[in-house]
Amino acid sequence: MTEDVFKALADPTRRRILDELAERDGQTLFEICSRLAIKHDLGLSRQAISQHLAVLESAGLVLSRREGRYKFHELNTRPLEHIVTRWLRPDTPEGTP
Amino acid sequence: MTEDVFKALADPTRRRILDELAERDGQTLFEICSRLAIKHDLGLSRQAISQHLAVLESAGLVLSRREGRYKFHELNTRPLEHIVTRWLRPDTPEGTP
DNA sequence: ACTATAGGCAAGTAGCGACTTGCGTATGGT
DNA sequence: ACCATACGCAAGTCGCTACTTGCCTATAGT
């Protein structure tokens, strides 16, 4: 559950992937690979990214649909919404000093 | 920075410690140890908890003040507030389907 | 049919991270 | 002065995890 969400967010490369999907949804594995290689200097193998995507997917942060030989990935922010409210006090809801 | 926050949140024991401090602020190391041992069944050594607290402290999630031979720890939720908004889309701000 | 593309599976390696163990330091009580 | 308490430091062990490498499957194009 939220257990996997925290573990998924622990890795900086996975967070970069989420950034990439937040910027442009529906990318394939190869697109994400080349984007990460170009925009950031991450020279990671295809399998590395694939495994990261698997972790993100089992955490529910990434949804994928397969079409032909392409697999498109999209970001799902639902699991992110309430993982932190667990510690946030009900007082000072937004900006009430 | 936020790098350390995610790493700090990755461990379930550290999240338990945050829970404990959220429930009662200003606990010492021994208090946290015995609380974790009793309420949850974590039979961890003192140093284990101490190292976890060090991680949480360097992430800015826990602040500590020393008084005599006691060191009191308190929760700081500031670093938690904006780590997730990075991926949350500006649409559907709270509950607007 | 053949080749290239997009991706998956599995085993192996290296390094980090959680935890322990042992010893050391400082404060407080008597 | 003595001892117990509350905590810190340092090294060592063990398991997990990120990453690679090699091979395999399936779809698309020609």
Side-chain angles (χ1 to χ4, degrees), chain A residues 2 8 17-19 52 57 63-65 71 74 93-94:
Chain A
T2 69
I17 295 178
L18 294 183
D19 291 337
H52 280 308
E57 217 170 329
L63 303 177
S64 67
R65 63 180 191 280
K71 190 181 179 187
E74 55 184 40
E94 188 48 34

Side-chain angles (χ1 to χ4, degrees), chain A residues 2-11 15 80 83-87, chain B residues 1-19 52 55-57 59-62 75-77 79-84:
Chain A
T2 69
E3 182 78 16
D4 307 304
V5 178
F6 284 115
K7 282 191 177 179
L9 292 176
D11 189 85
R15 271 171 279 155
L80 291 175
I83 46 172
V84 150
T85 60
R86 164 180 179 182
W87 298 291
Chain B
M1 296 290 294
T2 69
E3 184 78 16
D4 308 304
V5 178
F6 284 113
K7 283 192 176 178
L9 291 176
D11 189 84
T13 304
R14 281 196 286 267
R15 272 171 275 150
R16 284 291 165 83
I17 294 178
L18 294 183
D19 291 337
H52 280 309
V55 174
L56 290 170
E57 217 170 328
L61 290 167
V62 164
L75 179 62
N76 183 21
T77 57
L80 291 175
E81 289 169 3
H82 299 302
I83 46 172
V84 151

Side-chain angles (χ1 to χ4, degrees), chain B residues 75-96:
Chain B
L75 179 62
N76 183 21
T77 57
R78 283 301 187 290
L80 291 175
E81 289 169 3
H82 299 302
I83 46 172
V84 151
T85 59
R86 165 180 178 182
W87 298 291
L88 297 180
R89 294 325 213 141
D91 55 40
T92 21
E94 187 50 32
T96 6

Side-chain angles (χ1 to χ4, degrees), chain B residues 36-95:
Chain B
L36 289 180
I38 295 174
K39 298 178 61 174
H40 324 83
D41 272 326
L42 306 182
L44 291 179
S45 72
R46 178 179 56 87
Q47 282 76 0
I49 312 286
S50 178
Q51 289 166 8
H52 280 309
L53 282 172
V55 174
L56 290 170
E57 217 170 328
S58 70
L61 290 167
V62 164
L63 304 177
S64 67
R65 63 180 190 281
R66 183 133 201 177
E67 290 181 13
R69 60 175 168 177
Y70 298 103
K71 189 182 181 188
F72 300 103
H73 304 270
E74 57 184 39
L75 179 62
N76 183 21
T77 57
R78 283 301 187 290
L80 291 175
E81 289 169 3
H82 299 302
I83 46 172
V84 151
T85 59
R86 165 180 178 182
W87 298 291
L88 297 180
R89 294 325 213 141
D91 55 40
T92 21
E94 187 50 32

Side-chain angles (χ1 to χ4, degrees), chain A residues 30-49:
Chain A
F30 270 7
E31 284 178 305
I32 299 174
C33 282
S34 48
R35 292 292 194 94
L36 289 180
I38 295 174
K39 299 178 57 175
H40 323 82
D41 272 328
L42 306 183
L44 291 179
S45 72
R46 178 179 55 88
Q47 281 75 1
I49 311 287

